[in-house]
Amino acid sequence: MTAGHAKRPAVLSIGRIYCDLIFTGLGALPGLGREVFAEDMKMAAGGGAFIAAAHMAHAGREVALVARLGTDALSAGIEPELRASGADMRFLEKSPGAGPQVTVASVIGSDRAFLSRRAGTALPDTLEAALAWEAAGHLHIAEYATLHEIPDLVSRAKARGLTVSLDPSWDETLIYEPELLDRCAGVDVFLPNMEEAIAITQESDPIAAIGILAEAFPIVALKAGGDGAWLKARGQVLHRRAEEVTVVDTTGAGDAFNAGFIDAWMSGASDEACLAAGVTFGSLAVQAAGGTAILDRPLRRSAS
């Protein structure tokens, strides 16, 4: 499996940046009029574009974040983490209208629930400069909502000779949109999780769901948490089990999977190796609270 861009290996990662407030050690979510207390809480930089970019950078892949960041206190509080990630920030637009953009993540066991607030537009003033960056060979779109706001994003990237990947990411108002697959036309690598795949295809069986999605995309990697992941490319379906690790927080695990998969794919790795890299990166991410918190530890790779 090859990306076709060996001479231009850098990745552009586009999407919204969030200040994640992650509550862990919860027994249940609060009901209306009720209050529950978490054992711990952490503030971290979040959003699929940043988490994927940070994991790619940690793996040694040149990657630039294409996004907007607010000037409010919460946005300022996560900026040092953004810049310490190793991702290139030359296309980061700072604007008062871009924040505060917040996600509250409530972690219960191995699952979690989110409450988020968006701010302003997802379209950064830096987009055209980013697409024209001579080092870029690939555009990763971290959520369908960004493509929905910038409907010509894929065609603009393709006009620049870039390959494109997209994680639909759960959005209750968009995931059931009948035109979703049509609006993703031109995407080379589609990276849904199982819940998203069910919503899009109305199929709860992973083989049936990935089969439908493969009719629209050349490469589909379907993430299923503890059940591992499936890959369909060129008519072949592969499955890889999840690694046995201690799960602390699954926030950002899918974005970490995306990073591992894309990094391997851009390197021309085999289908099996791409799937293995995705599972390894995702398994790494769940071992700490926050999508990138584990990255201060040495990176482990599984055998392909």
Side-chain angles (χ1 to χ4, degrees):
M1 180 186 292
T2 60
H5 278 286
K7 294 182 179 179
R8 291 173 29 169
V11 174
L12 299 169
S13 186
I14 186 169
R16 292 179 180 269
I17 298 172
Y18 292 87
C19 174
D20 284 355
L21 304 177
I22 305 163
F23 292 82
T24 54
L26 288 167
L29 294 176
L32 292 177
R34 302 280 182 166
E35 183 177 15
V36 298
F37 291 87
E39 292 180 2
D40 202 359
M41 177 265 183
K42 178 179 181 179
M43 186 174 87
F50 167 66
I51 294 172
H55 281 269
M56 287 185 212
H58 189 66
R61 171 69 57 180
E62 187 176 11
V63 56
L65 185 63
V66 186
R68 304 175 74 236
L69 181 69
T71 57
D72 57 280
L74 287 174
S75 298
I78 61 172
E79 187 171 358
E81 184 180 350
L82 298 178
R83 298 194 179 278
S85 68
D88 194 316
M89 296 293 153
R90 72 178 71 191
F91 304 118
L92 180 67
E93 176 199 348
K94 296 185 68 176
S95 169
Q101 200 153 246
V102 181
T103 290
V104 176
S106 301
V107 181
I108 301 175
S110 61
D111 209 347
R112 72 270 196 239
F114 300 108
L115 175 64
S116 298
R117 187 244 182 189
R118 290 181 178 137
T121 177
L123 174 62
D125 289 344
T126 57
L127 177 57
E128 189 56 36
L131 294 175
W133 187 32
E134 63 180 11
H138 182 82
L139 175 69
H140 175 60
I141 306 171
E143 60 273 319
Y144 173 67
T146 294
L147 179 60
H148 191 269
E149 287 192 59
I150 316 172
D152 62 348
L153 182 54
V154 174
S155 61
R156 289 170 69 176
K158 290 289 185 172
R160 293 286 185 174
L162 307 182
T163 49
V164 180
S165 57
L166 184 143
D167 184 326
S169 190
W170 186 267
D171 184 317
E172 192 78 23
T173 64
L174 297 176
I175 197 68
Y176 297 103
E177 191 175 74
E179 302 84 9
L180 186 149
L181 294 180
D182 290 339
R183 291 179 175 176
C184 293
V187 167
D188 300 285
V189 183
F190 194 63
L191 298 153
N193 66 25
M194 195 62 220
E195 289 178 311
E196 293 151 3
I198 292 171
I200 295 167
T201 67
Q202 303 302 304
E203 290 284 353
S204 59
D205 176 73
I207 302 300
I210 203 170
I212 292 172
L213 295 174
E215 294 176 4
F217 307 102
I219 301 165
V220 180
L222 176 57
K223 299 164 287 187
D227 291 328
W230 282 263
L231 171 65
K232 186 163 187 178
R234 296 187 301 276
Q236 181 183 21
V237 177
L238 300 174
H239 176 250
R240 189 172 183 91
R241 299 183 60 176
E243 296 181 6
E244 294 185 8
V245 298
T246 301
V247 177
V248 175
D249 173 26
T250 58
T251 303
D255 302 306
F257 175 101
N258 297 343
F261 188 96
I262 293 164
D263 178 57
W265 183 65
M266 293 290 289
S267 299
S270 67
D271 294 359
E272 293 85 354
C274 290
L275 188 59
V279 169
T280 292
F281 277 50
S283 298
L284 187 71
V286 302
Q287 297 177 60
T292 66
I294 199 68
L295 297 184
D296 59 355
R297 306 179 193 178
L299 179 65
R300 298 181 298 103
R301 293 181 183 270
S302 66
S304 58

